Amino acid sequence: MTPPAVPRRPEGTQDLLPENLPAWRRLESAVREVFELYGYQEVRPPLFESTALFHKSTGETTDIVEKQMFTVPSRAEGGESFTFRPEFTPGVIRLILENQLLKQRPLLKLWYSGPVFRYERPQKGRYRQFHQFGVEAVGSNDPLIDVETIAAFEHILRKVGVTGHAIRINSMGCTECRGAYRDALRAFIQPNLALYCENCRRRFDRNVFRVLDCKVPADRERNEQAPAAVDSLCEACRAHFAAVQQGLKDAGLSFAVDKRIVRGLDYYTRTVYEFTSPQLGSQDALGGGGRYDGLVAQMGGPDVGAVGFSAGTERVLLAMGEETVARAADFYAVAADDASRSDAFRAAQALRAAGLSGDLDFEGRSLKAQMRSANKAGARFAVIVGSEERAQGRVRVKPMDGGEERVVAIDEAARILKGEKP
Ligand code: HAM
């Protein structure tokens, strides 16, 4: 009889194994530490929200809403359908409005971290379940807060040792100057519209900015000559963009203005930015964000400015490089003979209670095999119990680096392991 096939995880998802987690945890601690240094507070919205939320905020014409959402259809006729979040921003704004957080403070600075779902074609650095960390600063139009979000992301990258990335910024203008830009872009594309791909022709009518996001090489080439949003900015938007650039310079952050950044989401106004890394291959965005000054009002809240970014956790980890952190334990408890096994277990429990980490054998293996396990576990000490030690109510402490062995009471063993005794 053939054994049953082993189940496989869904395409585009990942299993995080023990050896992957030290790097994850290091990044997660850096994220928490840095966001808190900058005065951001953590929020945790639910994993899924009403589908309508993303239609209204992420945008009907975005790739995300058009084809990437993991949606659970309504269970009742005419009922609500739900979608596993394809991004954090809409849920965070919903959370702010529903809990009336803007009544408590005029400027909210919130951070988050967790899984995100997009039904994309999986490849290196692109998954269907991935993770993001990021911030949303809601309630201010100050260009310095745009700068602060960029500085916080840069701070995290520096803290985890990511180098060689680039910060690229652009401005999309406000609803007013976007009108002028939309006209300019349509006028540029119209004469050649028939040559564009089907997707672009559809986007031309629904949301012409998205044509600039097309990946088809011939369309990309044609778009090289397209007018840029920064060239149609109104006075106020130009001043805002200039202030962001000055702020970045004053903060000592290197950046480049890239007129081609349009971002794939509908809500952006004014500043948009991306962090890219050449180490990542074709999916080179470590993270991105920008201003979305109209979204809060559009979702039924007050008319306030907002800015934020989200980083791709897996991408930042890729840029951190493969990191295999050797597992280290304080001790490995060893039973020299079968009769001492429960004493070895008791010794391990006493050491753990004293705050020391360690393991022991559960397979009744030989002394030699247990010493090999101690080595493999990266234990600093073997704590050995045999008939001789048992008779004295003591344990043998053996430094794994070849130092001097000592037979001592368990309390003293704990002190030695903690480095309190020479
Ligand atoms: P986004 O550019 O769609 O922006 O995503 C941010 C980052 O998430 C990307 O730069 C990338 O690192 C990562 N990412 C996106 N899709 C995938 C995927 N399939 N697999 C792995 N990583 C991925 C947003 O999500 C906005 N909410 C950012 C924002 C916050 N804007 C304002 N506030």
Side-chain angles (χ1 to χ4, degrees):
M1 207 171 69
T2 47
V6 172
R8 299 178 66 91
R9 64 176 185 271
E11 206 185 334
T13 64
Q14 299 179 93
D15 291 320
L16 298 183
L17 303 177
E19 64 261 33
N20 306 126
L21 284 157
W24 274 77
R25 283 210 294 255
R26 194 157 80 78
L27 175 56
E28 284 163 354
S29 327
V31 165
R32 173 182 305 273
E33 235 170 83
V34 172
F35 286 155
E36 285 176 3
L37 282 181
Y38 283 71
Y40 287 80
Q41 293 181 299
E42 188 182 4
V43 285
R44 299 188 184 184
L47 277 183
F48 63 88
E49 298 273 356
S50 168
T51 304
L53 178 72
F54 302 109
H55 281 264
K56 279 190 224 140
S57 49
T58 308
E60 299 280 3
T61 58
T62 58
D63 283 349
I64 293 179
V65 170
E66 279 185 348
K67 53 188 185 208
Q68 296 175 349
M69 301 214 290
F70 277 92
T71 294
V72 182
S74 156
R75 303 205 158 240
E77 183 83 25
E80 201 175 5
S81 86
F82 299 103
T83 294
F84 283 90
R85 64 179 173 223
E87 56 150 340
F88 269 92
T89 312
V92 172
I93 303 304
R94 195 243 348 109
L95 171 152
I96 290 172
L97 298 178
E98 188 166 346
N99 295 284
Q100 305 194 338
L101 301 187
L102 280 165
K103 290 210 170 124
Q104 296 163 20
R105 286 168 196 238
L107 172 60
L108 282 167
K109 294 175 43 170
L110 304 176
W111 73 271
Y112 48 80
S113 170
V116 177
F117 307 84
R118 293 185 192 175
Y119 195 83
E120 298 206 69
R121 201 163 38 78
Q123 63 179 84
K124 183 175 174 224
R126 190 161 75 190
Y127 312 98
R128 289 182 175 169
Q129 176 178 327
F130 59 101
H131 298 72
Q132 287 186 337
F133 61 84
V135 297
E136 309 298 342
V138 178
S140 170
N141 290 307
D142 189 340
L144 270 185
I145 194 117
D146 308 23
V147 175
E148 189 189 64
T149 61
I150 294 173
F153 189 10
E154 175 64 28
H155 198 139
I156 291 170
L157 293 177
R158 206 170 345 115
K159 200 171 171 75
V160 296
V162 173
T163 52
H165 53 282
I167 303 175
R168 301 184 305 140
I169 68 167
N170 192 17
S171 177
M172 305 284 295
C174 61
T175 39
E176 261 153 58
C177 37
R178 273 180 96 152
Y181 178 49
R182 184 180 297 114
D183 294 344
L185 199 54
R186 288 178 70 98
F188 168 82
I189 294 168
Q190 179 84 64
N192 292 318
L193 185 60
L195 302 174
Y196 277 84
C197 73
E198 195 195 322
N199 228 345
C200 282
R201 290 202 304 271
R202 199 166 40 89
R203 287 168 167 174
F204 181 80
D205 288 324
R206 296 184 67 188
N207 182 353
V208 70
F209 305 119
R210 302 275 303 125
V211 173
L212 298 180
D213 239 8
C214 184
K215 302 285 183 286
V216 174
D219 292 349
R220 274 178 93 141
E221 211 168 292
R222 265 187 289 277
N223 289 339
E224 302 245 314
Q225 305 305 321
V230 269
D231 299 327
S232 307
L233 297 183
C234 66
E235 205 41 60
C237 287
R238 207 172 310 147
H240 186 97
F241 195 39
V244 170
Q245 293 180 58
Q246 189 57 48
L248 289 170
K249 282 183 198 143
D250 293 346
L253 292 161
S254 334
F255 65 93
V257 173
D258 182 343
K259 295 181 174 187
R260 299 283 148 220
I261 298 182
V262 283
R263 309 275 301 130
L265 306 149
D266 275 357
Y267 45 64
Y268 289 111
T269 56
R270 294 193 163 171
T271 320
V272 286
Y273 57 88
E274 272 175 10
F275 280 57
T276 52
S277 167
Q279 279 146 272
L280 295 183
S282 68
Q283 301 302 310
D284 67 349
L286 288 166
R291 262 199 178 270
Y292 46 98
D293 292 338
L295 184 64
V296 180
Q298 194 189 308
M299 287 173 64
D303 187 11
V304 292
V307 58
F309 78 87
S310 308
T313 309
E314 286 81 355
R315 304 233 182 128
V316 175
L317 282 159
L318 280 170
M320 281 164 67
E322 286 305 310
E323 192 184 15
T324 41
V325 179
R327 217 183 103 214
D330 294 315
F331 68 87
Y332 194 89
V334 172
D337 48 51
D338 261 354
S340 306
R341 291 191 64 211
S342 65
D343 298 80
F345 184 75
R346 203 160 345 114
Q349 285 299 91
L351 294 173
R352 289 164 175 164
L356 293 154
S357 66
D359 207 349
L360 69 159
D361 169 67
F362 290 100
E363 291 155 280
R365 300 198 305 160
S366 70
L367 174 61
K368 219 162 140 195
Q370 290 179 65
M371 291 305 293
R372 270 202 304 274
S373 300
N375 234 327
K376 228 170 153 182
R380 293 187 298 117
F381 292 89
V383 174
I384 307 165
V385 190
S387 56
E388 206 178 298
E389 290 81 13
R390 237 173 338 120
Q392 300 176 41
R394 294 181 163 212
V395 297
R396 181 179 299 271
V397 175
K398 177 180 162 65
M400 295 301 287
D401 63 6
E404 190 197 337
E405 289 181 29
R406 296 167 63 182
V407 177
V408 294
I410 192 72
D411 294 354
E412 195 166 352
R415 284 195 289 275
I416 295 172
L417 266 58
K418 286 181 178 171
E420 290 168 11
K421 284 253 168 174

